[in-house]
Amino acid sequence: LVIGINDKSGEINALSYMELQETTNLLTSIASENVIPNVLIDVENVPTTGGAVVVATIPEGKNKPYHDNKGIIWVKNGAGSGGYQYYRL
């Protein structure tokens, strides 16, 4: 997951120091508090001209199925964005 790159043009939209801190905190919080069992992610700030981008590496899980803090399992259905199905435990 890369944050700070325009999806359509591929241009870098560097994040400010405050945006980097907020994004890093949000990603680690979501992974540790909103996914059950917890997901360990590696979040890295990569310097670029005018700021930095955030690169989050999310390894394939070993404790499947994962669900959110409401008991919903989200299943990717097909390629591209969207196309998710969900199931409640």
Side-chain angles (χ1 to χ4, degrees), residues 20-79:
L20 287 171
Q21 297 302 311
E22 290 173 355
T23 302
T24 300
N25 290 340
L26 179 63
L27 289 172
T28 55
S29 174
I30 289 169
S32 65
E33 298 174 15
N34 295 313
V35 180
I36 302 168
N38 293 354
V39 175
L40 298 176
I41 65 172
D42 180 37
V43 180
E44 180 181 1
N45 296 332
V46 179
T48 64
T49 303
V53 297
V54 174
V55 177
T57 304
I58 307 157
E60 182 172 347
K62 297 179 181 177
N63 298 310
K64 299 174 187 178
Y66 290 89
H67 58 88
D68 66 17
N69 58 4
K70 295 181 177 105
I72 297 174
I73 299 172
W74 295 88
V75 178
K76 178 79 170 146
N77 184 18

